[in-house]
Amino acid sequence: MKLLFILVFSFCASLNAAAADISDANAPPDLAVAKTWIEKKDWPSAISSLEKFVKANPNNADGFNLLGFSLRNSKRYPEAIFNYKEALRIDPNHRGAHEYLGQTYVQTKQIDKAKELLASLEKICGLQCEEYIDLKRAIDKFKK
């Protein structure tokens, strides 16, 4: 029930935002729309939505991080790496970008780079944060 409320609220908020500037039919979608595509694992739609979002919001680390995530899940690794690095350029302590870039390095067998990001996460949030634990698990799994 709580999730339904959040979804309805997000949808209404996006309608209100669109209604505020009807003249701009090419207004970029917000992150909530992109997250809906990500939840559905519709990577092409998520990528399209997020590319528009980051173009309109070039200083939004979360947008670049989610674009990297969507690209990585489409196995477009070089583009994913670029976008994660953009997220980290904007916010050097972005835990999600550190983890996801590390995951990309694991998937592309660049374990030394993944370990560097793991060390960064340890400094940023410690050994018990979710991002550190998830990346460490991926690195350990790769070793087996």
Side-chain angles (χ1 to χ4, degrees), residues 50 63-73 76 79-81 83-84 100 104:
L50 287 161
F64 281 102
N65 183 52
L66 291 174
L67 179 54
F69 179 81
S70 300
L71 289 162
R72 175 169 59 97
N73 280 286
R76 293 167 57 180
E79 294 168 273
I81 290 168
N83 282 282
Y84 290 136
Y100 290 160
T104 306

Side-chain angles (χ1 to χ4, degrees), residues 1 3 8 26 28 31 39 47 53 55-57 61 66 80 87-88 93 101-102 110 115 121-123 126 130 133:
M1 187 64 153
L3 179 60
V8 169
N26 294 319
L31 285 181
E39 288 171 11
I47 291 166
F53 180 84
K55 185 175 182 181
N57 300 278
L66 291 174
L88 292 172
N93 292 321
L101 180 55
Q110 300 177 67
K115 288 179 179 178
L121 278 170
E122 182 178 352
K123 290 176 187 170
E130 180 181 351
I133 292 167

Side-chain angles (χ1 to χ4, degrees), residues 11-26:
F11 177 73
C12 291
S14 68
L15 284 179
N16 286 338
D21 188 8
I22 294 174
S23 64
D24 188 3
N26 294 319

Side-chain angles (χ1 to χ4, degrees), residues 77-125:
Y77 300 118
E79 294 168 273
I81 290 168
F82 173 84
N83 282 282
Y84 290 136
K85 287 182 177 181
E86 279 298 295
L88 292 172
R89 180 188 60 76
I90 296 163
D91 179 0
N93 292 321
H94 195 289
R95 296 182 337 197
H98 278 277
E99 178 198 344
Y100 290 160
L101 180 55
Q103 296 278 1
T104 306
Y105 285 143
V106 170
Q107 289 176 305
T108 57
K109 300 178 172 115
Q110 300 177 67
I111 301 304
D112 288 341
K113 290 182 179 182
K115 288 179 179 178
E116 288 174 17
L117 289 159
L118 186 67
S120 294
L121 278 170
E122 182 178 352
K123 290 176 187 170
I124 293 167
C125 60

